[in-house]
Amino acid sequence: PALFDLQVNGGLGVSFNAESLTTDDVRKVTDLCHQHGIGKYLPTLITGGFEPLAHGFRTLERARAEDAALAHAIPGY
């Protein structure tokens, strides 16, 4: 059985708050989670400026829209 992690801020040097976050970064963190037995997780963005938060959520939404496996692994935020 896979685990569910309620709070993942990132991994492998990737932060979901980074203004440079890409959909490839989302895939990297998701792959890392899967390697550790986490089947689904909730990406967490910490409170900060509006633009970094908006960029993070837009990037996560784009990643989920482009890849059904990511949409399955990331059911929310």
Side-chain angles (χ1 to χ4, degrees), residues 8-69:
V8 175
N9 294 75
L12 298 172
V14 173
S15 169
F16 292 127
N17 277 85
E19 293 186 47
S20 60
L21 182 69
T22 66
T23 56
D24 286 337
D25 292 334
V26 176
R27 165 59 65 197
K28 285 181 202 176
V29 174
T30 302
D31 290 345
L32 176 65
C33 287
H34 288 163
Q35 290 170 9
H36 290 277
I38 300 166
K40 294 183 180 190
Y41 70 99
L42 299 178
T44 303
L45 285 82
I46 60 171
T47 303
F50 176 80
E51 284 306 316
L53 286 170
H55 173 75
F57 285 121
R58 280 193 304 265
T59 303
L60 288 161
E61 280 297 302
R62 187 170 48 255
R64 293 176 74 237
E66 293 174 358
D67 187 331

